[in-house]
Amino acid sequence: MAGSHLSVVIDLSPSQWHLSSLHQPYPLDISAFISQLLAFLNAHIAFKHENTLAVFGAFPGKSTLLYSSADPPAETPSNDANYFPPLKLVDSTMMHRIVQNLETLTQNNGDDKAPSALVGALTKALCYINRLTLEFNAATTNATEGLEPLALPDSRILILSVSPDQTASYIPVMNSIFSAQKLKVTIDACQIYGPDTVFLQQAAHLTGGSYIYLERRDALLQYLTMAFLPPPSVRQTISVPTQDKIDFRAACFCHKNIIDVGFVCSVCLSIFCQPVPVCSTCRQVLLTKFPFKTLQRLNAARSSLPSSPSQPRNSSAPSSPQKTNGRTPSRTEAPLGPGGLPHSGSISLNNSTTNGAISSR
Amino acid sequence: MDSDSDISISDYDEQNLSRSKAKGKGKATDKDKRKKEKAKRKPKDVQAYTWEANFTRSWETVQEDERGSLQGAVDDWMVRGRRKRLLAPQNAIRRTIIRHMVLLIDLSSSMMDRDMRPTRFAVTLQYAREFIIEWFDQNPLGQMAVVGMRAGVGERISDMSGNPQDVLKSISDRHKLEPTGEPSLQNSIEMARNSMNHLPTHSSREILIIFGSLTTCDPGNIHETLDECVKNKIRISIVALAAEMKICRELCDKTGGQFGVAMNEGHFKDLLFEIVPPPAQRGIIPRPATGGTTATAAATTANAAADLMMMGFPTRLPDASPPSLCQRFLCPRCLAKVCDVPTDCDICGLMIVSSPHLARSYHHLFPVKPYTAVASFDAVPDPSATSSCHACSRPFPTTAAPPANVGEGMSAIGRYRCPDCNTDFCSDCDVFVHDVIHCCPGCSK
């Protein structure tokens, strides 16, 4: 039986790692993180001889391959009697490339405030798995017989993130999730520092992986080995933490409110929290205007809704107590949803005056 | 004397053959012989219809190059996809995301013909299944119904549903669908039309007909039905399995649908899957014109199709909630339990979707720009820095392929470049990015 493939996407944003190293009570700096990560990667390699590994780094504004077992580096590290050579190869190659990339980052004087290119790294990981899948299928007789291509057994992507969600990357992240579903790849996610990310929660949920928010940052290695080391085929028999609460409600494009009932443009699928006469997303390109009759009808329908969409439904929503990390769910910390429009804090949403909002256009 | 027996004596054979030709109607053994003869007369490079072909020589369609490699033939297939992508319109086109389709399957006795193995009927059912899965994958907000044409009437097989499992289940039992009698285009189109009359204008109304017969038995004038369909903006597409009929061609042309005659199994599947991507909306001027009058005209045409829809985003019930038959989602308006999304709430009729379903349709609206093929090494500024594919790190070939193997739209050095981020990708990644991910790994958008 073939081994399992693991692609790791690590978020290497210097500013976020700096903040993480200062965060009390459990600071974790990047060197401690990398040493724990290397131990985890070594465990994966040592687990089974056929196991394969690829590591992708997401630096600010750029993503790159750090290590892959399909294209080993030309220079082999010097022999060390106390070190299993494949492990040494992983460790030295990864360290070398991380340092190299961080150095070019400082040389270029590029602003390290740029958000890290998690999407780029994630799509690269998917392309890499696609390549392995093609090679796997070419090796079997399957391709020549014209049968459906087989999925690579037991392949997964682990995302180790320290950055918050970027609203602009919503569509690419969702596209990546759907391609992972097509390739039958499990996405695991671990948020090491910063707020919960809704995108990674959805990625893990939709692909059958697990999402963990790291409470005790000093115990990273334990989390990694307990939750993410077993390949997906073994997961059924051992208990891996899954999240129970997952928010599939959308945020409107106009005010970024999380809504229950929204109004959706039939052309571009933008979501609004109140009936609007013109679609703000696609009016430039496609001249989308909505008929006035619809507005009247929807306004009438809206007043009959039992709960107004803009009110947080913490009390009515049957959310079970958090099992994985015990934090109380709060709506205010997860206002991220689809769309790329900046949050307009000045607009206060007033439910009773929807007609005023329309006439102001 | 009838020529039914398997007589193998040569002079009898001769006699039978001539007689059956004269009658224009032969028995199975004679037919086979005629087929063989016909196939022999045909030049080999012309793609024969299934009923003319003796047997498929699939290995002959693949040509080895001088080194005995099949790579060139494989590349040709990929290039076909590339060219199609390049021909696709560049700028934002408006597509109908909310689709409603009625799948009309011919269940007349002509579907028992064996020109497709094992029968047209079996092949149709299998491809219909694959089509439904792919269609719902690409159109998560779409709804589909299935109607059968059998014994002169239209027969409702499944109601309009947004759940692929419901639709698949309805055509899973082939014994209930056993083909009999004559098909009636008019009856079944009328049935499909009536079931789509109430739909809102922003959604598409489509009928896809898989038609195996060469006749239709209609109670009235089918041209009136056609006019009604045009009036109701119903788009009819037909995949014919036998031959082109004038009325079929007319139905498609007048309603803006696609018409095709399947030559063989593979072509049949291609024709079906052409219907899968959402159609571009007709009668829309995509760019705002500078002149005042044209701009308003464009605005009014756009106006007719655009609409605001009310949708509910359901609450997912936690796994620990008390057990019930349907315990997955709650309708946000009436708090009724629904089993699966997307759907319309059974109680209050609100359209219920989850945000990933909306997101699944976004790639039709924001497609990735096609990559350009890099012609030669002169166009690569720094070959040592970009020695491998930007996405999957597969090393690029270091020597150019001989020009004989390079088709139009292919890169001799196996590099395909994104026009935005100027990074190079291998051909596999090019296909994967445009067909599956819909997001360029270089520019991450």
Side-chain angles (χ1 to χ4, degrees):
Chain A
M1 184 191 151
S4 80
H5 172 77
L6 172 69
S7 277
V8 186
V9 173
I10 46 180
D11 183 354
L12 292 169
S13 159
S15 54
Q16 289 292 325
W17 276 109
H18 177 67
L19 291 175
S20 166
S21 68
L22 299 178
H23 193 268
Q24 293 302 329
Y26 303 110
L28 179 73
D29 62 2
I30 191 161
S31 59
F33 162 71
I34 288 178
S35 69
Q36 298 195 27
L37 175 68
L38 286 180
F40 167 70
L41 298 181
N42 286 346
H44 174 75
I45 293 286
F47 213 48
K48 203 168 187 183
H49 185 255
E50 292 90 358
N51 279 0
T52 51
L53 175 73
V55 186
F56 297 85
F59 296 93
K62 136 181 199 204
S63 57
T64 173
L65 178 83
L66 296 176
Y67 174 82
S68 88
S69 40
D71 320 283
E75 73 276 16
T76 42
S78 56
N79 266 335
D80 185 343
N82 296 321
Y83 220 153
F84 184 45
L87 306 188
K88 169 115 187 164
L89 189 68
V90 175
D91 295 2
S92 61
T93 320
M94 262 190 64
M95 284 313 292
H96 176 68
R97 293 209 183 149
I98 289 176
V99 170
Q100 201 180 15
N101 275 295
L102 287 177
E103 267 171 6
T104 50
L105 209 64
T106 43
Q107 276 167 12
N108 292 350
N109 221 358
D111 61 325
D112 50 349
K113 290 286 183 291
S116 47
L118 265 185
V119 173
L122 183 57
T123 43
K124 276 178 193 170
L126 286 167
C127 284
Y128 184 80
I129 291 180
N130 180 49
R131 169 190 163 190
L132 292 184
T133 310
L134 291 175
E135 283 168 4
F136 175 73
N137 275 305
T140 61
T141 52
N142 212 313
T144 48
E145 282 166 18
L147 298 171
E148 286 291 301
L150 288 175
L152 197 65
D154 261 3
S155 53
R156 62 208 148 112
I157 297 175
L158 169 62
I159 305 174
L160 302 170
S161 160
V162 288
S163 308
D165 279 332
Q166 302 142 28
T167 36
S169 63
Y170 175 70
I171 294 172
V173 168
M174 290 316 274
N175 282 338
S176 309
I177 293 173
F178 299 135
S179 356
Q181 282 180 331
K182 268 200 177 151
L183 286 175
K184 297 199 170 54
V185 171
T186 309
I187 298 182
D188 295 317
C190 182
Q191 184 75 2
I192 294 171
Y193 169 77
D196 259 330
T197 83
V198 180
F199 296 174
L200 295 187
Q201 274 181 348
Q202 298 204 355
H205 176 82
L206 290 171
T207 56
S210 61
Y211 170 86
I212 288 181
Y213 181 85
L214 210 59
E215 283 280 290
R216 292 281 304 263
R217 267 179 282 278
D218 51 343
L220 171 69
L221 182 58
Q222 190 171 353
Y223 279 100
L224 289 178
T225 45
M226 298 312 285
F228 299 127
L229 190 58
S233 55
V234 189
R235 297 265 175 97
Q236 276 115 23
T237 43
I238 58 168
S239 180
V240 166
T242 52
Q243 76 264 35
D244 204 18
K245 177 206 77 157
I246 173 134
D247 209 340
F248 274 130
R249 286 179 303 162
C252 68
F253 282 28
C254 45
H255 306 96
K256 296 274 174 276
N257 290 316
I258 305 278
I259 50 173
D260 282 335
V261 177
F263 300 92
V264 179
C265 168
S266 72
V267 177
C268 65
L269 300 180
S270 310
I271 307 163
F272 303 100
C273 57
Q274 58 196 14
V276 289
V278 174
C279 174
S280 57
T281 313
C282 60
R283 69 174 162 193
Q284 263 87 31
V285 194
L286 298 166
L287 289 168
T288 312
K289 273 172 93 178
F290 303 124
F292 189 66
K293 267 187 189 160
T294 316
L295 290 180
Q296 283 176 325
R297 184 168 50 83
L298 289 178
N299 272 321
R302 189 161 173 264
S303 53
S304 63
L305 286 182
S307 62
S308 60
S310 63
Q311 278 169 8
R313 294 206 320 154
N314 262 353
S315 50
S316 61
S319 59
S320 70
Q322 281 293 96
K323 277 175 193 153
T324 48
N325 46 27
R327 287 167 309 133
T328 50
S330 73
R331 285 276 165 265
T332 49
E333 75 166 8
L336 291 160
L341 298 180
H343 184 278
S344 53
S346 60
I347 306 174
S348 66
L349 186 71
N350 198 338
N351 267 327
S352 55
T353 58
T354 45
N355 291 325
I358 290 165
S359 60
S360 70
R361 296 252 174 184
Chain B
M1 186 195 128
D2 204 9
S3 59
D4 208 7
S5 52
D6 266 338
I7 309 166
S8 56
I9 308 166
S10 58
D11 52 353
Y12 265 108
D13 228 345
E14 197 78 36
Q15 217 179 342
N16 280 343
L17 198 64
S18 58
R19 190 190 299 144
S20 64
K21 263 181 188 163
K23 271 201 270 179
K25 177 178 139 197
K27 297 286 181 242
T29 45
D30 301 340
K31 242 186 190 170
D32 271 346
K33 270 167 203 147
R34 269 192 296 158
K35 266 188 212 165
K36 271 178 203 159
E37 250 184 33
K38 214 169 181 182
K40 261 183 233 160
R41 266 184 265 130
K42 270 187 119 41
K44 265 184 189 154
D45 50 356
V46 174
Q47 189 171 24
Y49 285 92
T50 307
W51 58 89
E52 292 176 337
N54 191 0
F55 44 80
T56 48
R57 299 164 182 259
S58 54
W59 56 91
E60 279 183 5
T61 60
V62 180
Q63 295 292 326
E64 293 179 3
D65 59 16
E66 61 273 19
R67 277 173 302 172
S69 151
L70 294 175
Q71 194 55 42
V74 176
D75 284 347
D76 257 4
W77 279 93
M78 286 170 51
V79 164
R80 252 182 33 180
R82 276 185 58 78
R83 265 195 227 123
K84 215 157 92 186
R85 213 156 38 230
L86 286 167
L87 287 176
Q90 289 281 313
N91 47 358
I93 53 161
R94 191 149 153 182
R95 291 188 177 275
T96 318
I97 296 297
I98 320 268
R99 298 176 74 183
H100 288 89
M101 177 178 277
V102 177
L103 180 62
L104 279 182
I105 302 180
D106 187 352
L107 296 177
S108 64
S109 49
S110 62
M111 291 301 278
M112 293 313 278
D113 265 15
R114 294 181 176 276
D115 57 354
M116 290 182 182
R117 308 280 156 72
T119 55
R120 284 181 184 175
F121 173 61
V123 172
T124 303
L125 276 193
Q126 193 206 327
Y127 285 165
R129 239 171 261 139
E130 290 171 27
F131 171 77
I132 290 167
I133 293 169
E134 184 68 18
W135 192 85
F136 276 105
D137 189 57
Q138 298 273 315
N139 305 282
L141 300 177
Q143 299 200 20
M144 192 188 273
V146 183
V147 171
M149 288 185 268
R150 174 156 63 170
V153 290
E155 197 176 311
R156 188 178 300 276
I157 296 173
S158 93
D159 284 326
M160 205 52 111
S161 161
N163 185 352
Q165 295 314 318
D166 288 353
V167 183
L168 285 175
K169 206 173 144 197
S170 69
I171 62 163
S172 63
D173 189 2
R174 56 176 296 163
H175 297 296
K176 280 189 190 157
L177 305 174
E178 212 50 51
T180 46
E182 289 277 309
S184 166
L185 273 179
Q186 190 185 17
N187 277 339
S188 32
I189 289 177
E190 281 293 339
M191 173 175 256
R193 191 175 68 83
N194 288 332
S195 68
M196 291 197 286
N197 255 342
H198 64 285
L199 294 176
T201 50
H202 55 76
S203 69
S204 76
R205 304 164 180 187
E206 294 166 68
I207 297 177
L208 170 62
I209 306 178
I210 302 176
F211 200 56
S213 172
L214 285 172
T215 53
T216 160
C217 79
D218 297 332
N221 185 355
I222 194 165
H223 292 276
E224 283 168 16
T225 309
L226 171 58
D227 291 340
E228 286 295 313
C229 287
V230 173
K231 212 192 286 170
N232 289 336
K233 296 199 171 58
I234 293 176
R235 184 195 301 255
I236 303 180
S237 301
I238 298 180
V239 177
L241 303 184
E244 178 171 331
M245 278 162 70
K246 181 158 191 305
I247 183 65
C248 293
R249 167 68 77 182
E250 211 170 312
L251 282 172
C252 298
D253 285 351
K254 288 211 171 146
T255 57
Q258 289 160 315
F259 178 80
V261 179
M263 293 191 289
N264 47 42
E265 283 94 334
H267 189 227
F268 179 22
K269 192 172 177 180
D270 287 349
L271 286 175
L272 268 188
F273 277 59
E274 272 173 27
I275 320 283
V276 167
Q281 264 181 14
R282 287 169 297 164
I284 303 293
I285 301 160
R287 289 276 160 199
T290 44
T293 49
T294 37
T296 46
T300 45
T301 45
N303 221 352
D307 205 347
L308 209 53
M309 295 169 293
M310 193 147 116
M311 287 188 187
F313 299 98
T315 314
R316 187 170 157 270
L317 289 172
D319 297 334
S321 59
S324 64
L325 287 175
C326 255
Q327 49 163 8
R328 294 192 55 206
F329 300 95
L330 278 189
C331 166
R333 187 154 73 176
C334 62
L335 300 181
K337 283 174 179 167
V338 287
C339 293
D340 227 333
V341 288
T343 180
D344 291 340
C345 174
D346 292 332
I347 308 296
C348 67
L350 180 70
M351 188 171 181
I352 299 176
V353 296
S354 70
S355 47
H357 284 114
L358 290 182
R360 209 181 252 274
S361 297
Y362 284 141
H363 73 82
H364 293 304
L365 306 164
F366 312 107
V368 186
K369 282 189 186 168
Y371 294 165
T372 52
V374 181
S376 68
F377 282 111
D378 305 334
V380 183
D382 187 5
S384 59
T386 57
S387 60
S388 61
C389 168
H390 186 71
C392 70
S393 318
R394 190 202 310 262
F396 283 128
T398 47
T399 51
N405 288 0
V406 179
E408 188 194 339
M410 267 168 72
S411 164
I413 54 173
R415 294 178 186 229
Y416 299 89
R417 184 168 293 170
C418 171
D420 282 346
C421 58
N422 275 324
T423 43
D424 291 356
F425 299 92
C426 65
S427 60
D428 284 342
C429 285
D430 178 21
V431 172
F432 185 64
V433 163
H434 284 94
D435 288 354
V436 182
I437 300 194
H438 306 292
C439 163
C440 172
C443 26
S444 327
K445 64 183 181 194

